[in-house]
Amino acid sequence: MTTPPRISCVILCHNYGRYLDRAIASCLDQEPGGYALHEIVVIDDGSTDETEEVCRRYRDRVRIVRRDCQGFGRTLTDAFLLTDGDWVAPLDADDWFHPAKLRICAEAITDGRLFIEHWENVVDADGCLLIADPHPGGNTSTLLVQREAALALLPVTNEIFFHALREAGHGRVLPQPLVHYRVHAHNMTDRRTPGVSQHYRADVCTALAHRLRTMAAEPPAWATATALRRMSHRFHAQAAGHRVEAHVQTGDRHACPHPLAAMLVGTIRSCSPPGPWLRAFASAVTGRPQAPLSNSGAGDTESDRSNTRA
């Protein structure tokens, strides 16, 4: 008899106490299925609001890790270091899971699969839909990651690091919206100021590219040295694509040739399809952003793909 996968739900919280109750409840209220809810952990990263009070109400059912503020990257890294489930389902405290999240994701776990991603419903600060249709995922709350495989990528600065498992051929994307992704004035990433989010993502992709190149010296079980080097070039291309998008968003198109050249080199070296580079080139020529800013603040995860997909 196959042992059901043990899943650790880890809620990342910094001054999101006003949303935390709903996030915790969404983990506790998961539908039963072919998995074991191994633990629910809240990492309180130095909150100064009502977070501690909310945590006290759940202390008999949830493990609380409270410490001085160390930042998002350290908190996301600790989501994997402080748990011991087979899989980790990270959840930003301002979001909440659909009741079927773990059941549906568990059904997608097969031999060799290390990364599961699903779509999201984008909501506003009050939890009301901002976008009528489901939106592609990729952010923290839309992932289920095999813990042992993820350890090779630590420490991380952003959830994009775990996308390497998908790029290595061990992932699956589910079209079901299994999380409510909340967009509000205090989101960690500024998606409204032209260029800010794209430069941030470029920095993350560059850091990941360097990490993968270093890992090629002693490859983990889930990738060969050749694959890691190819993935490194792919994320360098993705970083350059984000730079192009940032320059277009800020109206600084004369700065596009250098990242366009770097994106082309990375595309060729990674043996990736040319479609993303062609779209970036067209965007630079026309001055029309691929991921135009909007009041909803959504689109960040979709634009993340615009630089890598055919």
Side-chain angles (χ1 to χ4, degrees), residues 97-142:
F97 287 153
H98 187 283
K101 152 97 175 190
L102 298 187
R103 175 181 62 79
I104 293 176
C105 286
E107 292 170 356
I109 295 175
T110 60
D111 289 342
R113 186 157 290 149
L114 306 174
F115 177 94
I116 296 169
E117 172 188 334
H118 56 74
W119 286 37
E120 63 193 6
N121 284 317
V122 181
V123 300
D124 63 16
D126 298 320
C128 301
L129 280 177
L130 269 177
I131 301 176
D133 297 325
H135 188 266
N139 60 63
T140 308
S141 302
T142 65

Side-chain angles (χ1 to χ4, degrees), residues 24-296:
I24 294 175
S26 76
C27 295
L28 290 168
D29 295 340
Q30 287 294 298
E31 298 175 0
Y35 70 94
L37 179 54
H38 181 62
E39 59 188 336
I40 301 173
V41 180
V42 176
I43 303 179
D44 177 6
D45 191 45
S47 297
T48 57
D49 62 355
E50 65 268 39
T51 293
E52 186 175 9
E53 177 184 346
V54 174
C55 288
R56 280 200 296 269
R57 298 202 294 267
Y58 291 95
R59 62 181 177 271
D60 295 333
R61 292 181 286 173
V62 174
R63 178 157 63 97
I64 311 299
V65 177
R66 182 171 173 80
R67 80 293 182 79
D68 293 337
C69 182
Q70 298 180 36
F72 175 73
R74 181 71 251 181
T75 304
L76 183 57
T77 296
D78 284 347
F80 291 81
L81 294 178
L82 300 177
T83 58
D84 60 0
D86 304 314
W87 291 74
V88 174
L91 175 63
D92 287 328
D94 52 342
D95 303 332
W96 74 94
F97 287 153
H98 187 283
K101 152 97 175 190
L102 298 187
R103 175 181 62 79
I104 293 176
C105 286
E107 292 170 356
I109 295 175
T110 60
D111 289 342
R113 186 157 290 149
L114 306 174
F115 177 94
I116 296 169
E117 172 188 334
H118 56 74
W119 286 37
E120 63 193 6
N121 284 317
V122 181
V123 300
D124 63 16
D126 298 320
C128 301
L129 280 177
L130 269 177
I131 301 176
D133 297 325
H135 188 266
N139 60 63
T140 308
S141 302
T142 65
L143 307 182
L144 183 68
V145 186
Q146 210 266 359
R147 179 178 176 273
E148 184 176 355
L151 293 178
L153 293 162
L154 303 183
V156 303
T157 60
N158 181 277
E159 68 275 5
I160 292 173
F161 272 64
F162 302 123
H163 293 189
L165 299 171
R166 180 189 66 203
E167 297 299 324
H170 300 292
R172 181 175 176 187
V173 178
L174 306 176
Q176 295 96 324
L178 299 177
V179 73
H180 293 82
Y181 173 68
R182 199 187 302 260
V183 173
H184 54 92
H186 302 289
N187 280 123
M188 183 187 74
T189 304
D190 181 354
R191 300 174 184 83
R192 293 178 173 84
T193 304
V196 171
S197 176
Q198 297 295 331
H199 277 306
Y200 168 70
R201 291 177 179 279
D203 290 341
V204 172
C205 289
T206 298
L208 175 54
H210 287 308
R211 177 74 56 77
L212 294 170
R213 186 77 181 184
T214 300
M215 288 170 58
E218 295 185 28
W222 47 266
T224 65
T226 299
L228 289 167
R229 286 190 289 267
R230 184 176 296 121
M231 290 163 56
S232 175
H233 291 307
R234 189 176 304 152
F235 279 102
H236 271 303
Q238 184 172 335
H242 286 308
R243 299 285 186 206
V244 173
E245 177 69 12
H247 294 320
V248 173
Q249 287 185 4
T250 58
D252 189 22
R253 284 193 290 159
H254 73 274
C256 288
H258 184 270
L260 275 172
M263 187 179 183
L264 180 59
V265 171
T267 297
I268 294 171
R269 289 182 174 177
S270 64
C271 302
S272 299
W277 183 85
L278 292 171
R279 288 194 293 273
F281 178 80
S283 179
V285 170
T286 63
R288 186 177 301 115
Q290 294 187 73
L293 302 176
S294 67
N295 290 332
S296 72

